[in-house]
Amino acid sequence: MKKLFLKLGVVMVVGGLVFSLQGCKTKVNETVQETMRSGSIYISVDESFRPIIDSQLKVFLAAYPDAHIVAHYKPEADCIKDLLVDSIRMVIVTRGLSEEEVNLFKNRLEYAPIFGKIASDAIAVVVNNKAKDSLFSVSDIRGMLTGSSGYHYKLVMDGNKATSTVRFMIDSVLKGQPFSANVQAASTSEGVIDYVANNTDAIGFVGVSWIGNPEDTTQLSFLNNVKIANLQCRGCEEEAFVKPYQANIVLGRYPMVRGLYYILKENYAGLGKGFTSFLSNQRGQLIFKRAYLAPAKMALQVRHVDMEEVDY
């Protein structure tokens, strides 16, 4: 009898293991297969664009519940480095790849990542609500950054290296010159806004997606503490100063404009390609438009309004 019970016990244990393994196999088979609308991927995004990319992800993931995209927000240079990380499928930054970078990735990956422009953004200049100055030229900004102007402001950016804002200011405004000692660093764009809000002698530089949308309650709370400065219009017939509004970005009147690009490390029709397609097509482009960026794939109509006919 003991031998019989022992044999039955062995059979039950083996049977249980087989059942357990079959259950595991079933779960694996039931795992969502990756397509352009399903699966799980990681992406790296320039921190300057967190508000707008959060909005894009919210709509995309709600439309496709089998899709899971985890975004890591970090300085632009770190996003570019992440293209060499196997687990990172896509990055969103303010530039495409150079020919040298394309060749580098082609040698490492055996194929070249694809990239494209999806929107245009502007760098907003923010000042404290009590600041006396709110009209600047690019020459004024350049002088403040190099310490050669008559302005006595503390300048603050979202980091002192590796960020897209810092790169733009050095490349496009300073033309390679270094910052002066009065340029300080905050850890994030929100940190820049907080610093300016608490210091009347501070000027901050942030992506317009952090502060340009009057329909966003969070951004409205920011605008209770700081105000957006006007920069001298580029290409205007008469002297004028403009804010980084959508029309001024589209028409090139605002002088500090940059592009927003995706770089996709995917040579098949996967979830990364599905998200880039969403960003480039109507729904994604409309989200950029509502966030007061300039969509790259959608034509915007700019209408001239006769101010005498406006009913206040």
Side-chain angles (χ1 to χ4, degrees):
M1 288 293 292
K2 288 184 179 180
K3 290 183 178 180
L4 179 60
F5 282 122
L6 181 60
K7 288 181 179 179
L8 286 172
V10 171
V11 171
M12 290 175 67
V13 170
V14 172
L17 286 172
V18 171
F19 180 81
S20 177
L21 289 172
Q22 285 178 339
C24 291
K25 186 176 181 181
T26 300
K27 289 181 181 178
V28 170
N29 289 338
E30 288 177 355
T31 300
V32 176
Q33 182 180 2
E34 184 180 345
T35 68
M36 291 180 67
R37 297 179 179 179
S38 64
S40 299
I41 63 169
Y42 294 91
I43 68 174
S44 291
V45 181
D46 183 335
E47 187 272 339
S48 300
F49 300 95
R50 182 169 194 152
I52 179 59
I53 299 304
D54 275 349
S55 297
Q56 295 279 11
L57 285 170
K58 183 177 180 181
V59 176
F60 181 80
L61 298 178
Y64 307 112
D66 288 332
H68 304 279
I69 301 177
V70 179
H72 298 287
Y73 295 95
K74 54 183 67 178
E76 181 179 75
D78 291 340
C79 293
I80 297 295
K81 290 177 183 177
D82 280 351
L83 285 170
L84 298 173
V85 178
D86 290 341
S87 61
I88 300 297
R89 191 79 62 81
M90 170 186 179
V91 303
I92 299 176
V93 289
T94 64
R95 67 178 183 88
L97 295 175
S98 66
E99 184 177 352
E100 183 180 355
E101 288 169 327
V102 168
N103 291 331
L104 169 66
F105 288 115
K106 191 180 293 185
N107 291 333
R108 284 189 173 228
L109 304 173
E110 299 182 353
Y111 65 90
I114 60 173
F115 59 91
K117 186 178 179 181
I118 45 179
S120 291
D121 171 61
I123 295 178
V125 180
V126 294
V127 297
N128 187 278
N129 277 335
K130 296 181 180 178
K132 296 180 180 179
D133 300 309
S134 60
L135 302 177
F136 304 104
S137 67
V138 173
S139 296
D140 293 332
I141 300 296
R142 185 181 301 113
M144 286 188 278
L145 291 171
T146 58
S148 61
S149 76
Y151 291 100
H152 300 287
Y153 285 105
K154 296 174 183 176
L155 308 183
V156 61
M157 297 191 190
D158 56 350
N160 53 18
K161 60 180 181 179
T163 74
S164 59
T165 304
V166 169
R167 182 176 66 82
F168 180 91
M169 301 307 285
I170 291 176
D171 292 349
S172 300
V173 178
L174 296 184
K175 308 299 182 183
Q177 297 181 67
F179 290 137
S180 69
N182 68 327
V183 180
Q184 303 180 31
S187 58
T188 63
S189 296
E190 191 169 353
V192 172
I193 297 168
D194 288 341
Y195 185 86
V196 173
N198 292 312
N199 293 272
T200 57
D201 62 343
I203 292 180
F205 302 88
V206 294
V208 74
S209 68
W210 276 93
I211 204 162
N213 186 355
E215 299 174 16
D216 185 291
T217 54
T218 301
Q219 295 188 33
L220 281 176
S221 69
F222 290 156
L223 291 172
N224 289 330
N225 301 314
V226 300
K227 57 186 176 182
I228 303 174
N230 296 263
L231 297 190
Q232 188 170 14
C233 179
R234 185 173 61 183
C236 292
E237 294 181 2
E238 299 179 359
E239 185 176 8
F241 291 81
V242 296
K243 292 185 185 292
Y245 294 153
Q246 208 166 44
N248 295 325
I249 295 173
V250 172
L251 296 175
R253 296 188 300 210
Y254 190 78
M256 297 200 303
V257 173
R258 59 187 178 178
L260 179 61
Y261 295 78
Y262 70 82
I263 304 175
L264 178 63
K265 193 178 65 176
E266 191 175 270
N267 62 344
Y268 58 93
L271 184 55
K273 193 160 289 185
F275 188 48
T276 59
S277 177
F278 176 85
L279 294 173
S280 302
N281 291 325
Q282 185 180 29
R283 292 182 72 185
Q285 292 290 290
L286 283 172
I287 293 171
F288 284 127
K289 179 177 179 288
R290 286 198 296 269
Y292 291 82
L293 275 71
K297 309 290 187 181
M298 173 188 289
L300 289 181
Q301 291 184 341
V302 179
R303 297 178 180 177
H304 297 279
V305 178
D306 185 348
M307 297 307 293
E308 294 182 358
E309 297 180 1
V310 176
D311 183 9
Y312 292 98

